[in-house]
């Protein structure tokens, strides 16, 4: 399995990380090195093995479906790069 | 009394309770050392005012009697822990300026026990690294040097600031976190003790998430006894972390008896790597002899899937990271890129994340995105999770066969020079975690204990791996090993 620059560009796009075109070949090469290392996993016979879901055998705990929090708009917004009138502000999303 | 900063937690506790010293004096001594230790790059956010306030409160509590063991003990807190009102940015530019409105459960537990926070400690960005060279704050320097050389060495990573600060006596103990070895590898590189407890022992709430199925917090301390004392204060059930175990926390310190007669210690043959330095081999053999001399039975064991742990880790950890780090989008906290005319929300995400994440974090987020993407999910992610099941089963099998704990080297080498790995393939850096990463994949407790010096005078560590939830027993084996190894060396002060 080899990753070309187009695939590298697609992955960067999916990850929402801007990568300049001239950096793509080196990025693709790095991916190939790491994936080459990962491909050792193909040597393992995993027939009939369940993929691990939880490392400790436990059922995730549940809580009552009730409101136990709230009324802290100021705190929620206090670290926002751009907060206005009680909301997070972002560039235009819909045309 | 001078050099209060050099006390262990146990010594300081006894002196505080005995009225020989006050937390205010102890805290001042540490703050003074931190002032003079800028060259180590360990402390990145200083909180002296908060520290002095907490110290005064601790003194009042001790005077009133019945204070917990950690009361008045000055600590450093890894930057990965959210601390209320104090910058907490996981050593990343993307969390520039972030001041949490809440306190992580682990730091809150320590504060509830009366501990003092001196400041926040440097680390690899988002805990991704083994050399503390990926931090936005710059490198951390190991207080140890090779013989008479002045080459700056890595303290390891990702908890490099914690390691350096404890080894240099800037604080009495520090919090660390360990996803693939980030407590145990740096502890070994600087000659201190570090324990990663069983997955679920410490709450992950309020710790910036890297790979949620692997991340665990733990203490980094000057002795095994200190690790026992500090771990007890850190852990406990937390309803805010759904994977937090609802189990009572034992008095770990009381379990340090040094009595290990008849216990079975396994020596896994797969940890004998090709090209392993002779000194590491010897250290491991010496450690085995020490445990045998203390009355343990030594059994050769096999953990057949060991070789596949690192490749499985480099699928699972990046996959979880790509999901966890999706939240850094320039909307709710931290950095947002300056946008050009006409840029929409996608450009904002892409530019923000390109500016905010360093190269190693970008690399891992993208690898994670790739292995989770349509068409590759089964081939990579599901296969890695199946291999993880087999790795855990390797351990279950040897424990079922009567093995109480497993002894391995902590790292494949001593501390290397900062920059020495700069031109290496990322995979070369990943090999640092070859002995530690299995433990995270299996969710087990593991401890690194300093056990000797290499011929250039650098510390080397051994790792003990225990059964799930048996941190107390594990600490006792480590305590026995610590006593037999008699490691007392300290770095000579140059900073």
């Amino acid at each position: 399995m080899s990753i070309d620059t187009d695939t590298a560009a697609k992955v960067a796009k999916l990850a929402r990380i801007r990568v300049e075109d001239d950096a793509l070949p080196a990025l693709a090469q790095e991916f190939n090195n790491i994936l080459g290392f990962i491909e050792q996993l193909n040597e393992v016979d995993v027939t009939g093995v369940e993929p691990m879901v939880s490392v400790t055998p436990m059922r995730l705990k549940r809580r009552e479906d009730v409101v136990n929090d709230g009324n802290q708009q100021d705190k929620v917004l206090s670290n926002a790069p751009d907060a206005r009138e009680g909301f997070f502000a972002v560039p235009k999303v819909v045309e | 009394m001078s050099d209060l900063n050099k006390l262990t937690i146990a010594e300081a506790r006894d002196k505080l309770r005995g009225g020989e010293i006050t937390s205010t004096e102890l805290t001042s001594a540490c703050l003074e050392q931190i002032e003079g230790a800028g060259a180590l790059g360990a402390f990145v956010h200083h909180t002296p005012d908060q520290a002095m306030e907490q110290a005064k409160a601790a003194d009042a509590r001790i005077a009133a009697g019945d204070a917990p063991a950690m009361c008045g003990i000055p600590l450093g807190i890894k930057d990965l822990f959210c601390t209320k009102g104090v910058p907490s940015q996981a050593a990343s530019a993307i969390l520039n300026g972030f001041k949490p409105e809440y306190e992580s459960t682990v730091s809150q537990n320590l504060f509830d026990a009366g501990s003092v926070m001196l400041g926040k400690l440097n680390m690899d960005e988002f805990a991704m690294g083994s050399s503390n060279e990926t931090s936005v704050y710059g490198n951390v320097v190991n207080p140890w040097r090779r013989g008479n050389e002045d080459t700056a060495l890595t303290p390891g990573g990702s908890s490099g600031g914690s390691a350096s600060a404890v080894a240099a006596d800037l604080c009495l103990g520090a919090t660390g976190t360990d996803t693939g070895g980030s407590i145990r590898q740096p502890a070994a590189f600087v000659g201190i003790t570090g324990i990663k407890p069983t997955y679920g022992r410490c709450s992950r709430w309020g710790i910036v998430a890297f790979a949620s199925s692997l991340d665990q917090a733990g203490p980094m301390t000057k002795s095994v006894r200190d690790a026992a004392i500090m771990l007890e204060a850190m852990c406990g059930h937390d309803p805010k972390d759904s994977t937090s175990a609802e189990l009572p926390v034992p008095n770990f310190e009381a379990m340090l008896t040094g009595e290990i007669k008849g216990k079975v210690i396994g020596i896994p043959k797969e940890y004998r790597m090709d090209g392993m330095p002779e000194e590491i081999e010897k250290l491991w053999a010496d450690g085995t002899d020490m445990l045998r001399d203390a009355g343990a039975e030594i059994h050769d064991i096999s953990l057949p899937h060991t070789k596949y742990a690192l490749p499985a880790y480099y699928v699972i950890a990046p996959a979880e990271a790509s999901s966890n780090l999706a939240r850094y989008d320039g909307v709710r906290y931290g950095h947002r890129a300056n946008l050009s005319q006409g840029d929409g929300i996608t450009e904002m995400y892409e530019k923000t994340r390109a500016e905010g994440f360093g190269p190693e974090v970008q690399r891992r987020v993208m690898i994670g995105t790739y292995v989770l993407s349509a068409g590759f999910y089964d081939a990579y992610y599901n296969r890695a999770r199946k291999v993880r099941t087999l790795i855990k089963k390797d351990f279950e099998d040897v424990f079922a066969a009567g093995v109480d704990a497993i002894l391995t080297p902590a790292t494949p080498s001593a501390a290397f020079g900062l920059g020495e790995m700069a031109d290496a393939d990322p995979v070369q850096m990943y090999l640092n975690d070859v002995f530690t990463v299995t433990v995270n994949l299996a969710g087990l407790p593991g401890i690194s204990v300093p056990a000797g010096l290499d011929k250039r005078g650098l510390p080397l560590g051994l790792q003990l791996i225990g059964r799930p939830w048996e941190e107390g027993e594990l600490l006792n084996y480590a305590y026995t090993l610590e006593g037999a190894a008699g490691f007392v060396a300290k770095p000579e002060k140059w900073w």
Side-chain angles (χ1 to χ4, degrees), chain B residues 21 23 40 133 212 224 311 360 363 445 469:
Chain B
I21 60 169
S23 176
L40 294 173
E133 292 173 290
S212 305
V224 174
E360 181 61 23
R363 189 179 294 134
W469 314 116

Side-chain angles (χ1 to χ4, degrees), chain B residues 339-357:
Chain B
L339 301 180
S340 310
Q341 193 69 33
D343 278 352
I345 194 146
T346 304
E347 287 79 13
M348 185 196 77
Y349 294 150
E350 290 181 349
K351 288 183 177 178
T352 295
R353 289 161 65 82
E355 289 174 11
F357 292 145

Side-chain angles (χ1 to χ4, degrees), chain A residues 11 13 15-16 18 30 33 38-41 43-44 50 52 55 61 78-81 88-89, chain B residues 99 101 237 244 307-308 315 331-333 336 350 353-354 363 366 380 383 385 388-389 392 425:
Chain A
V11 172
K13 185 83 194 165
R16 299 290 184 271
R18 165 79 46 107
E30 274 180 7
N33 291 347
I38 290 169
E39 262 155 32
Q40 290 177 68
L41 295 177
E43 298 166 14
V44 185
E50 283 297 311
M52 186 183 285
V55 73
K61 279 189 269 313
S78 67
N79 278 291
F88 295 112
Chain B
K99 286 186 186 171
E101 293 283 352
H237 177 244
S244 160
K307 179 185 167 198
Y308 302 105
V315 174
V331 176
R332 286 159 294 170
Y333 26 66
R336 177 185 291 189
E350 290 181 349
R353 289 161 65 82
R363 189 179 294 134
M366 287 192 272
Y380 289 111
R383 176 167 281 270
R385 289 196 302 143
R388 186 175 180 189
T389 301
K392 182 168 181 241
D425 189 279

Side-chain angles (χ1 to χ4, degrees), chain B residues 73-156:
Chain B
I73 304 295
L75 304 173
I77 304 291
K78 188 177 180 179
D79 200 38
L80 204 64
F81 292 79
C82 287
T83 43
K84 192 174 179 180
V86 176
S88 307
Q89 58 181 97
S92 181
I94 210 155
L95 275 171
N96 215 353
F98 177 60
K99 286 186 186 171
E101 293 283 352
Y102 50 84
E103 189 70 42
S104 83
T105 298
V106 163
S107 51
Q108 187 64 55
N109 287 349
L110 288 166
F111 297 157
D112 289 347
S115 299
V116 173
M117 176 170 81
L118 298 163
K120 301 298 284 287
L121 292 165
N122 206 343
M123 54 180 281
D124 278 298
E125 184 180 5
F126 282 108
M128 297 179 189
S130 303
S131 64
N132 219 119
E133 292 173 290
T134 70
S135 165
V136 71
Y137 308 118
N139 297 342
V140 179
V141 182
N142 191 326
W144 292 82
R145 287 176 161 176
R146 284 177 191 142
N148 298 320
E149 288 178 32
D150 58 6
T151 313
L153 303 180
T154 175

Side-chain angles (χ1 to χ4, degrees), chain B residues 166-400:
Chain B
V166 173
D169 289 317
L170 308 185
C171 51
L172 274 64
T175 60
T177 62
D178 191 315
T179 305
S182 283
I183 286 176
R184 291 159 288 155
Q185 182 253 20
F189 274 12
V190 303
I192 64 167
T193 301
I195 180 169
K196 180 202 91 73
T198 313
Y199 182 81
R201 197 49 117 169
C202 284
S203 169
R204 291 178 295 107
W205 196 82
I207 300 173
V208 174
F210 162 14
S212 305
S213 79
L214 302 160
D215 297 342
Q216 264 295 292
M220 300 175 71
T221 56
K222 299 175 195 179
S223 72
V224 174
R225 181 173 298 279
D226 285 7
I229 297 169
M230 187 167 161
L231 178 64
E232 188 181 332
M234 289 170 71
C235 55
H237 177 244
D238 178 13
K240 287 187 283 195
D241 172 1
S242 61
T243 60
S244 160
E246 218 164 340
L247 289 173
V249 180
N251 179 340
F252 294 127
E253 191 186 7
M255 297 175 81
L256 306 179
T257 59
E259 175 54 63
I260 64 162
K261 206 158 277 163
K263 296 294 178 187
V264 178
I265 304 293
I267 309 294
K269 66 173 187 209
E270 290 80 6
Y271 283 61
R272 203 168 302 280
M273 299 281 173
D274 287 342
M276 185 154 91
E278 230 171 80
E279 287 170 306
I280 305 268
E281 286 249 21
K282 182 169 184 311
L283 183 83
W284 193 12
D286 290 348
T288 307
D289 288 343
M290 289 173 205
L291 293 173
R292 186 186 288 115
D293 291 347
E297 270 182 48
I298 305 297
H299 287 191
D300 287 326
I301 59 166
S302 173
L303 299 165
H305 295 91
T306 299
K307 179 185 167 198
Y308 302 105
L310 260 187
Y313 177 84
Y314 276 97
V315 174
I316 292 166
E320 294 186 21
S322 76
S323 171
N324 273 325
L325 272 59
R327 72 190 66 179
Y328 304 103
D329 57 4
V331 176
R332 286 159 294 170
Y333 26 66
H335 178 73
R336 177 185 291 189
N338 287 322
L339 301 180
S340 310
Q341 193 69 33
D343 278 352
I345 194 146
T346 304
E347 287 79 13
M348 185 196 77
Y349 294 150
E350 290 181 349
K351 288 183 177 178
T352 295
R353 289 161 65 82
E355 289 174 11
F357 292 145
E360 181 61 23
V361 173
Q362 292 193 18
R363 189 179 294 134
R364 295 202 201 186
V365 166
M366 287 192 272
I367 286 286
T369 303
Y370 182 73
V371 300
L372 289 176
S373 63
F376 300 105
Y377 188 91
D378 259 325
Y380 289 111
Y381 184 61
N382 269 344
R383 176 167 281 270
R385 289 196 302 143
K386 288 176 185 176
V387 172
R388 186 175 180 189
T389 301
L390 293 172
I391 289 164
K392 182 168 181 241
K393 187 174 176 300
D394 283 356
F395 285 102
E396 286 168 347
D397 289 348
V398 298
F399 290 141

